[in-house]
Amino acid sequence: MEGLKTYISENKQRFLNELFELLRIQSISSIESHKPDMYRAAEKWTKILLDAGADKAEVFETEGNPIVFGEKIIDEKLPTVMVYAHMDVMPVDPIDLWNSDPFEPLVKDGKIFGRGADDDKGQSFMHAKAFEFMVRTNQLPCNVKFLIEGEEEVGSVHLPKFCEEHKDMLQSDVILVSDTSMIAPGIPSITTGLRGLAYWEVEVTGPNRDLHSGIFGGAVANPINVLCNMISQMTDEKGKITIPGFYDDVIEVTEEERKKMAQAPFDEEGYKTALNVKELKGEDGYTTNERTGIRPSFDVCGIWGGYTGEGAKTVLPSKAYAKISSRLVPNQDHEKIADLFKLHFESIAPASVNVNVKSLHGGQGYVCPIDLPAYQAAEKAYEKVFNRKPVPVRSGGSIPIISTFEEILGVKSILMGFGLESDAIHSPNENFPLEQFYTGIEAIPYFYKYYVESNI
Amino acid sequence: MEGLKTYISENKQRFLNELFELLRIQSISSIESHKPDMYRAAEKWTKILLDAGADKAEVFETEGNPIVFGEKIIDEKLPTVMVYAHMDVMPVDPIDLWNSDPFEPLVKDGKIFGRGADDDKGQSFMHAKAFEFMVRTNQLPCNVKFLIEGEEEVGSVHLPKFCEEHKDMLQSDVILVSDTSMIAPGIPSITTGLRGLAYWEVEVTGPNRDLHSGIFGGAVANPINVLCNMISQMTDEKGKITIPGFYDDVIEVTEEERKKMAQAPFDEEGYKTALNVKELKGEDGYTTNERTGIRPSFDVCGIWGGYTGEGAKTVLPSKAYAKISSRLVPNQDHEKIADLFKLHFESIAPASVNVNVKSLHGGQGYVCPIDLPAYQAAEKAYEKVFNRKPVPVRSGGSIPIISTFEEILGVKSILMGFGLESDAIHSPNENFPLEQFYTGIEAIPYFYKYYVESNI
């Protein structure tokens, strides 16, 4: 990969300007009113791919948000790498905690700030620029496809059907994804496992209208009190999830593998300090990294009901709501878990309320074996730019589509992430260090090189 | 009270028009931006009193919302009745459940709809019109004072100090209040007991920012889950409140008195049907009326935290909040209870979160003996217009200032309410039946008559 460092160095400011154009598009997939922005993002991506050297790039309609597909086929006999990424971003609430406009990116303290700076606009854009370099310097060693979707943050709802319908078009030997983080700055890692996800919205209805808490309080079940009671019953004092059958398909990781995982550097005091918590809390008998990597979780992502405005309103509300999610481990089926929760949650509802459970989305977990040639190519690429072999880690996050790719297309994915935990993805002040951005662009072409070499 | 029925009948439409002018003022005391409306309501009330025949009526400043005081003194040797009422109203959330604009009153199906139609603009306005009748027909049998405050819905914060500072001005023999309900249409009742109130806002803080629920979920305490657990611990499976010392000052009502109270007509099936609940729920060992009348309660009035927008956002939030209230029974001190809750709630907080408890407001309970001459005058006044002796009842609601009047001014209050439970006070579509409104105006002058007669 000759001239790579020079190419990046000479085009630094242009790369940044182009990325900023992408970051300015408010492509929030979970909010219906941002639909036009999804189309703007899709149009932008076709331009990015064509400008970088793709033979073609086009926008595909789905029943939801559009999907962009582009490719450059140099020789049908050569292997094909498919880059998967997403152009949608998370909402920006709570907006008042941002120090700058989430959709007016800026560089401060060596970091790009803005919604999507890391997840996944910043990370996916590195692939466009690495591809541009290989094309322009005639060093592209294989065929490349780009699949950029617009619903990753809402569970990739329409992508499985798209994959079913375009199996030929999406045919590839490996899928390359940058949507994960490294352990720490200078300590590269490759995510070899992802948690699955089940996500529900629950509605608890008590009386048919908001009541005066004095006149009725004490005699009529309060749906907020009931919802709190029900949620508190979902986990026990040992941090175990109490849904019957929930752990049935969880494969206990061997002591040997747990020992290997424990070698990854981890500073628990630093972790607590960074989050400003006095004590960590999770399932008894597991370390922090195990709790997020190899064990499922149960989190209320949102709750609301009754009077939430200024001052004191004495009301016994009619309804209470919660958004609840479970991160699942490989081999737990998200649809089965979704059903188990619904069944259990409804079964523990007292007769004084009505409970409605809606499954919002889900995805399966994923495991990538570390003896895969593509994994080893990624390993060498990281080592080339960081001078350090990456650690294989299990991530707590979910990219539901990764396991779907394996099911439908029969292709493994390599999760070659360059994010950092301090990037505050999904949070106010999301950011992406410039160093990660440029080093990522440098590492990616080596993946292509080593991967193609391993195939010859 | 000669010509009373005729007077009301001839002025029906004017009374309604005048009330509507008052109802249009958006005097929500819990929302700071409505402060100018509080002054508009105060000015309106001085005009109402002067027009009705008061010698004087003026607006008094407090550190909070203004207070209106007006009076007509006909003979210092005659007894003095002081009407207490409030011009402030509750917020209108959830606004989308209203069938009409809460601040554009209208009559439909024989009821006045609008925020404050009953509580307390509709009920207090009856006193103004009853007073007007007595003055204009030269039948006012005693001195009258009006004390109209603007902070009842937020705990009458500044009224106690006002009472302390204006003891002479407020000197009276009995306080007359219409801010409660009758058992049912045609079944009059007088509220002889009120519950006290303690109201808190709690804030639970976990990590210092919203986290990705995949990367951190399972390892970091989720403040919503924790808040739910803490709330669920506040009551036990028997419906008892678990705060240590909470019941220490609760006086158990005798079996004999409970038997008398049980004679009040109560249709439990109808009550459930009206609220559309399959089962009622409360403290074991007590009936529905006892649960609201003679027992304390613990209700979450509002809860919020995390992502509450459209769709699914996978977040482990930094903070969760709840507004919580307890209705107290006479002899429970609200300040003592406020402290007991704070102490207990903070003590059960796990080390993984920070908990902050703020006491928003409170008030003591109240009991009115039924052998009081003023009570008996009210009893006769109801009997005169409803042809039925009113039932003495203990209400679940709170009017914190009533017990404060007794403490500071040494005067008992008669709770001569004309509301109905179906009036949806504090709720969307608050209303007040025209029949209750006009019958109230008719009953009030008889109270004056019988009360003065009993004093001679």
Side-chain angles (χ1 to χ4, degrees):
Chain A
M1 290 295 159
E2 276 173 42
L4 177 53
K5 273 180 186 289
T6 312
Y7 188 85
I8 293 169
S9 157
E10 284 171 354
N11 290 283
K12 269 189 164 173
Q13 190 56 46
R14 176 173 62 84
F15 290 174
L16 212 54
N17 294 348
E18 289 173 7
L19 171 60
F20 278 21
E21 288 176 26
L22 185 61
L23 290 174
R24 286 191 190 100
I25 301 171
Q26 306 190 10
S27 48
I28 302 171
S29 51
S30 63
I31 299 177
E32 190 59 27
S33 60
H34 283 285
K35 194 114 185 172
D37 293 312
M38 296 310 310
Y39 281 90
R40 263 175 234 134
E43 287 303 330
K44 184 76 192 168
W45 261 106
T46 59
K47 189 172 179 312
I48 289 167
L49 294 177
L50 291 171
D51 288 353
D55 299 332
K56 62 174 187 182
E58 53 182 309
V59 178
F60 287 78
E61 290 287 339
T62 73
E63 283 168 42
N65 289 333
I67 288 170
V68 171
F69 178 79
E71 64 179 16
K72 183 169 188 74
I73 307 297
I74 56 171
D75 184 341
E76 300 243 326
K77 289 187 291 288
L78 285 170
T80 300
V81 173
M82 183 161 77
V83 175
Y84 161 75
H86 64 94
M87 55 189 162
D88 62 322
V89 295
M90 292 294 280
V92 295
D93 288 332
I95 185 72
D96 51 325
L97 294 185
W98 284 80
N99 297 326
S100 60
D101 184 338
F103 292 111
E104 190 44 64
L106 53 84
V107 172
K108 202 185 150 189
D109 305 329
K111 296 169 176 182
I112 304 159
F113 283 88
R115 172 56 87 225
D118 167 330
D119 179 18
D120 184 42
K121 288 176 176 173
Q123 293 220 52
S124 57
F125 195 70
M126 299 182 309
H127 286 270
K129 295 298 105 177
F131 171 62
E132 176 193 297
F133 161 76
M134 291 185 286
V135 173
R136 295 209 184 157
T137 60
N138 289 313
Q139 295 183 79
L140 184 66
C142 64
N143 305 311
V144 183
K145 295 179 177 181
F146 278 87
L147 173 65
I148 321 277
E149 72 146 319
E151 297 181 334
E152 198 273 339
E153 300 293 10
V154 290
S156 302
V157 195
H158 298 96
L159 191 52
K161 192 181 168 202
F162 183 84
C163 290
E164 289 282 5
E165 291 172 357
H166 298 88
K167 276 186 188 172
D168 284 351
M169 183 176 89
L170 301 177
Q171 208 171 18
S172 52
D173 298 285
V174 68
I175 295 170
L176 192 57
V177 186
S178 292
D179 196 18
T180 50
S181 290
M182 298 180 7
I183 290 176
I187 308 181
S189 56
I190 298 175
T191 303
T192 56
L194 288 168
R195 289 200 285 188
L197 176 74
Y199 198 111
W200 308 270
E201 184 169 314
V202 303
E203 177 191 53
V204 178
T205 306
N208 53 2
R209 58 192 164 91
D210 286 0
L211 302 178
H212 187 289
S213 73
I215 296 170
F216 295 92
V220 178
N222 179 320
I224 303 181
N225 292 56
V226 172
L227 176 60
C228 289
N229 284 344
M230 291 174 72
I231 288 171
S232 76
Q233 289 173 53
M234 303 310 291
T235 46
D236 67 16
E237 68 286 358
K238 290 180 172 164
K240 280 249 175 331
I241 297 155
T242 57
I243 302 164
F246 187 87
Y247 291 97
D248 282 1
D249 300 327
V250 172
I251 297 165
E252 289 289 334
V253 174
T254 61
E255 277 307 311
E256 196 192 328
E257 197 171 340
R258 287 175 70 181
K259 270 182 197 157
K260 268 189 196 163
M261 288 173 57
Q263 287 166 4
F266 180 68
D267 168 17
E268 188 153 302
E269 285 308 310
Y271 185 89
K272 289 197 293 187
T273 304
L275 300 175
N276 194 26
V277 295
K278 282 196 289 280
E279 197 174 284
L280 298 172
K281 202 187 160 202
E283 191 180 351
D284 282 5
Y286 295 91
T287 66
T288 293
N289 277 334
E290 287 172 344
R291 286 166 174 174
T292 61
I294 61 171
R295 302 299 295 173
S297 67
F298 183 87
D299 275 294
V300 183
C301 298
I303 193 164
W304 69 104
Y307 183 69
T308 59
E310 193 188 339
K313 183 178 172 184
T314 50
V315 65
L316 194 168
S318 169
K319 285 175 183 287
Y321 302 85
K323 291 180 192 269
I324 297 173
S325 79
S326 257
R327 298 287 169 166
L328 309 174
V329 292
N331 205 48
Q332 278 187 299
D333 178 66
H334 75 89
E335 289 184 355
K336 181 178 167 187
I337 295 294
D339 291 344
L340 286 178
F341 170 79
K342 183 178 161 72
L343 198 71
H344 181 58
F345 203 71
E346 290 175 348
S347 79
I348 64 170
S352 52
V353 298
N354 278 307
V355 169
N356 186 17
V357 176
K358 202 163 61 183
S359 185
L360 289 193
H361 78 79
Q364 311 292 24
Y366 173 75
V367 176
C368 169
I370 59 173
D371 53 4
L372 213 66
Y375 177 85
Q376 290 166 344
E379 198 172 47
K380 284 169 71 179
Y382 274 104
E383 202 175 353
K384 179 81 183 169
V385 296
F386 286 103
N387 296 313
R388 184 171 178 149
K389 214 173 187 143
V391 183
V393 294
R394 296 273 194 113
S395 164
S398 308
I399 313 180
I401 196 64
I402 300 298
S403 52
T404 308
F405 286 150
E406 189 168 13
E407 277 171 54
I408 300 175
L409 305 175
V411 183
K412 279 279 185 191
S413 298
I414 302 298
L415 300 171
M416 206 176 165
F418 295 92
L420 294 179
E421 282 197 6
S422 52
D423 292 356
I425 66 167
H426 293 205
S427 296
N429 305 314
E430 177 174 352
N431 64 84
F432 194 36
L434 288 171
E435 195 181 333
Q436 297 298 111
F437 178 60
Y438 293 123
T439 310
I441 298 173
E442 193 186 336
I444 292 163
Y446 286 106
F447 170 81
Y448 283 81
K449 176 177 154 71
Y450 299 135
Y451 177 62
V452 173
E453 283 172 5
S454 76
N455 271 268
I456 295 166
Chain B
M1 290 292 160
E2 275 172 43
L4 177 54
K5 273 182 187 289
T6 313
Y7 188 85
I8 293 170
S9 158
E10 283 172 355
N11 289 285
K12 269 191 162 170
Q13 190 57 46
R14 177 174 62 84
F15 289 174
L16 212 54
N17 293 348
E18 288 174 7
L19 171 60
F20 278 21
E21 287 175 27
L22 185 62
L23 290 173
R24 285 191 191 101
I25 301 171
Q26 305 190 12
S27 49
I28 303 171
S29 52
S30 64
I31 298 176
E32 190 59 27
S33 60
H34 283 286
K35 194 112 185 175
D37 294 312
M38 296 310 309
Y39 281 90
R40 263 175 233 132
E43 287 303 328
K44 184 76 191 167
W45 260 107
T46 59
K47 190 174 178 314
I48 289 168
L49 295 177
L50 291 172
D51 288 353
D55 299 330
K56 61 173 190 182
E58 53 181 309
V59 179
F60 287 78
E61 290 288 339
T62 73
E63 281 169 43
N65 289 332
I67 288 170
V68 171
F69 178 80
E71 64 178 14
K72 185 172 186 71
I73 307 298
I74 57 170
D75 183 342
E76 300 244 325
K77 289 186 289 288
L78 285 170
T80 300
V81 173
M82 183 161 77
V83 175
Y84 161 75
H86 63 93
M87 55 191 163
D88 62 321
V89 295
M90 292 293 282
V92 295
D93 288 332
I95 185 74
D96 51 324
L97 295 184
W98 284 81
N99 297 325
S100 61
D101 184 337
F103 292 110
E104 190 43 63
L106 52 84
V107 171
K108 202 184 151 191
D109 305 328
K111 296 170 176 180
I112 304 159
F113 282 88
R115 173 56 86 226
D118 166 330
D119 179 17
D120 184 40
K121 289 176 176 174
Q123 293 220 53
S124 56
F125 195 70
M126 299 182 310
H127 286 271
K129 295 298 107 176
F131 171 62
E132 175 192 298
F133 161 76
M134 292 184 286
V135 173
R136 295 208 185 161
T137 61
N138 289 313
Q139 296 183 79
L140 184 64
C142 62
N143 305 311
V144 183
K145 296 180 178 182
F146 278 88
L147 173 65
I148 321 277
E149 72 146 321
E151 297 182 333
E152 197 274 340
E153 299 295 10
V154 289
S156 303
V157 196
H158 298 95
L159 192 51
K161 191 181 168 202
F162 183 84
C163 291
E164 290 281 5
E165 291 172 353
H166 299 87
K167 275 185 188 171
D168 283 350
M169 183 175 87
L170 302 175
Q171 206 171 17
S172 52
D173 298 286
V174 67
I175 296 170
L176 191 56
V177 186
S178 291
D179 196 18
T180 49
S181 290
M182 298 181 5
I183 289 176
I187 308 181
S189 55
I190 298 176
T191 303
T192 56
L194 289 168
R195 288 199 286 188
L197 176 73
Y199 199 111
W200 307 270
E201 185 169 315
V202 303
E203 178 193 53
V204 178
T205 306
N208 53 2
R209 58 191 165 93
D210 285 2
L211 301 177
H212 187 289
S213 73
I215 295 171
F216 294 92
V220 178
N222 179 320
I224 304 181
N225 292 55
V226 172
L227 176 60
C228 289
N229 285 344
M230 291 174 73
I231 288 171
S232 77
Q233 290 173 52
M234 303 308 293
T235 45
D236 67 16
E237 68 285 359
K238 291 181 173 165
K240 277 250 177 331
I241 297 154
T242 57
I243 302 164
F246 186 87
Y247 291 97
D248 282 1
D249 300 326
V250 172
I251 296 165
E252 289 290 333
V253 175
T254 62
E255 275 308 311
E256 196 193 329
E257 197 170 339
R258 287 175 70 180
K259 268 181 196 157
K260 270 190 193 160
M261 288 174 55
Q263 287 166 4
F266 180 68
D267 169 16
E268 187 152 305
E269 284 310 309
Y271 184 90
K272 289 197 294 188
T273 304
L275 299 175
N276 193 28
V277 295
K278 283 197 289 281
E279 199 174 282
L280 297 173
K281 203 187 159 202
E283 190 180 352
D284 283 5
Y286 295 92
T287 66
T288 293
N289 278 334
E290 287 172 345
R291 285 166 174 175
T292 60
I294 60 170
R295 301 298 296 172
S297 67
F298 183 86
D299 274 295
V300 184
C301 298
I303 193 165
W304 69 105
Y307 184 69
T308 60
E310 194 188 338
K313 183 179 173 184
T314 50
V315 66
L316 194 168
S318 169
K319 284 174 184 289
Y321 302 85
K323 289 179 194 270
I324 297 172
S325 78
S326 257
R327 296 288 169 167
L328 309 174
V329 292
N331 203 47
Q332 278 187 298
D333 178 65
H334 75 88
E335 289 184 354
K336 180 178 168 186
I337 295 294
D339 290 344
L340 285 177
F341 170 79
K342 184 177 161 72
L343 197 71
H344 181 58
F345 202 71
E346 289 175 350
S347 80
I348 64 170
S352 52
V353 298
N354 278 308
V355 168
N356 186 17
V357 176
K358 202 163 58 181
S359 187
L360 290 193
H361 78 79
Q364 311 293 23
Y366 174 75
V367 175
C368 169
I370 60 175
D371 54 4
L372 215 64
Y375 177 86
Q376 289 166 346
E379 197 173 48
K380 283 170 73 181
Y382 275 105
E383 202 175 355
K384 177 82 185 170
V385 296
F386 286 104
N387 296 313
R388 183 171 177 149
K389 215 176 184 140
V391 183
V393 295
R394 295 273 194 114
S395 163
S398 308
I399 313 181
I401 196 65
I402 300 299
S403 52
T404 307
F405 286 149
E406 190 169 12
E407 276 171 54
I408 300 176
L409 305 175
V411 183
K412 280 279 184 191
S413 297
I414 302 298
L415 300 171
M416 205 176 166
F418 296 92
L420 294 178
E421 281 199 6
S422 53
D423 293 355
I425 65 168
H426 293 205
S427 297
N429 305 312
E430 177 175 353
N431 64 85
F432 193 38
L434 288 172
E435 196 181 333
Q436 297 299 112
F437 178 60
Y438 294 122
T439 310
I441 298 173
E442 193 185 336
I444 292 163
Y446 286 105
F447 169 81
Y448 284 81
K449 177 178 154 67
Y450 299 135
Y451 177 62
V452 174
E453 285 171 4
S454 77
N455 272 267
I456 296 169

